[in-house]
Amino acid sequence: MRYAQMVMGPAGCGKSTYCSAVAQHFENERNSVMVVNLDPAAERFDYTPTIDIRELIHIDDAMEDEILHFGPNGGLVFCMEYLMENQDWLKEQLGDDDDDYILFDLPGQIELYTHMKTVKQLAELLQNWGFNVCSVMLVDSQFMVDGPKFISGTMAALSVMINLELPHINVLSKMDLLSKSARKHLDSYLEPDPRALLSDVKNNTSWGKKYRYLTKCIGQLIEDYSLVQFVPLNIKDENSIADLQLTINTMIQYGEDQDVRMTDFDQQDSDDNAGGVENFD
């Protein structure tokens, strides 16, 4: 069995930093992991990618082509679709070794995950190649410290979960950058209560009065599905990284097919007696 994390989220949420920290964590645990860059617009990494989509296609190829002449967003979509049209390249790059553990660092374009099918097709492809796959969605905690913004982030996360249909975990990144007061305020949001979140929405404004019913329906939708929860991540805290990876590894059943270490107690008793331990029966 092979294992994969598909690391996604908006631009600037810390996907590449996350991949680098997780790779270092695996190295510290003396486990192997590979990181695959699937962002054709990436400029620099904190890690060395094992496989790099830019060797197949670069964002500039789509933007500077005289016929295509895409913008940044259209270019990213084209590059991901081009990757899916060249599945053999990716399969050859990945190889076929058992027990591979791979982090896929995806582009920071939220549309790819919320309603487009390209990333879902990629996940299905990996599953057909024998991978246990999960999606890890990062959201910058600095933009989630009030009710309306948290509702927006929760709706985006719910959309991704429904679209991809994968084992999924939502991560609040950059917790180390929050002030103590913001961190304390954010704690009440980790398991979203729609009523508590909606209490932060101002109903005394003309906007609040006009869209009060819509806001109520959004809160009801979150409550009806009750799927969205967030795990805080402090990338500078090794325990925080370890706890998150334990949760993810349980989701994808990493290590469950390994042999259980057994102790032969009968043999141990014989060795103890042979060493001069008397047995009084």
Side-chain angles (χ1 to χ4, degrees), residues 6 10 27 29 34 76 83 91 191-192 217 241 271 275:
M6 300 184 70
E27 183 178 337
E29 296 290 323
M34 294 188 293
L76 281 173
L83 173 67
K91 186 174 183 179
E191 295 185 7
C217 290
I241 298 173
D271 293 342

Side-chain angles (χ1 to χ4, degrees), residues 27-226:
E27 183 178 337
N28 294 341
E29 296 290 323
R30 297 183 180 179
N31 293 320
S32 61
V33 66
M34 294 188 293
V35 185
V36 174
N37 172 47
L38 292 184
D39 184 358
E43 296 181 355
R44 60 175 297 274
F45 309 99
D46 293 328
Y47 61 85
T48 302
T50 306
I51 303 168
D52 194 339
I53 190 177
R54 296 176 302 175
E55 296 178 1
L56 174 68
I57 186 169
H58 194 281
I59 186 69
D60 292 342
D61 298 332
M63 294 178 63
E64 296 176 1
D65 186 272
E66 295 180 357
I67 298 176
L68 299 175
H69 205 63
F70 283 117
N73 290 339
L76 281 173
V77 173
F78 176 83
C79 290
M80 294 303 294
E81 291 176 345
Y82 187 83
L83 173 67
M84 296 308 301
E85 292 173 358
N86 291 269
Q87 301 173 7
D88 292 341
W89 176 86
L90 181 60
K91 186 174 183 179
E92 180 181 353
Q93 294 291 314
L94 291 174
D96 56 1
D97 293 338
D98 289 336
D99 299 324
D100 276 345
Y101 199 123
I102 301 179
L103 309 176
F104 290 90
D105 187 0
L106 292 163
Q109 188 176 6
I110 194 67
E111 299 94 325
L112 290 170
Y113 321 117
T114 55
H115 60 274
M116 299 185 70
K117 298 300 181 183
T118 310
V119 173
K120 182 177 182 179
Q121 292 169 356
L122 174 61
E124 293 172 347
L125 186 65
L126 293 173
Q127 290 171 327
N128 291 336
W129 291 344
F131 282 90
N132 279 1
V133 183
C134 74
S135 50
V136 180
M137 181 174 176
L138 272 62
V139 181
D140 190 338
S141 59
Q142 298 176 99
F143 298 100
M144 302 282 279
V145 291
D146 63 63
K149 290 180 181 178
F150 205 97
I151 289 176
S152 176
T154 300
M155 292 297 293
L158 181 59
S159 178
V160 172
M161 295 166 71
I162 293 174
N163 183 41
L164 297 183
E165 298 180 317
L166 289 172
H168 182 97
I169 188 165
N170 298 300
V171 178
L172 288 177
S173 62
K174 302 186 180 181
M175 290 292 292
D176 54 298
L177 300 181
L178 291 181
S179 65
K180 290 183 178 180
S181 59
R183 195 176 308 170
K184 184 177 180 180
H185 185 63
L186 192 61
D187 287 342
S188 61
Y189 294 161
L190 295 183
E191 295 185 7
D193 178 357
R195 292 181 179 85
L197 294 175
L198 292 174
S199 67
D200 287 351
V201 179
K202 296 180 179 179
N203 291 318
N204 57 350
T205 63
S206 58
W207 176 274
K209 293 177 181 178
K210 182 177 182 180
Y211 294 103
R212 182 183 303 168
Y213 180 71
L214 175 60
T215 303
K216 180 181 178 181
C217 290
I218 291 174
Q220 188 64 47
L221 177 65
I222 296 173
E223 186 172 32
D224 288 346
Y225 277 90
S226 64

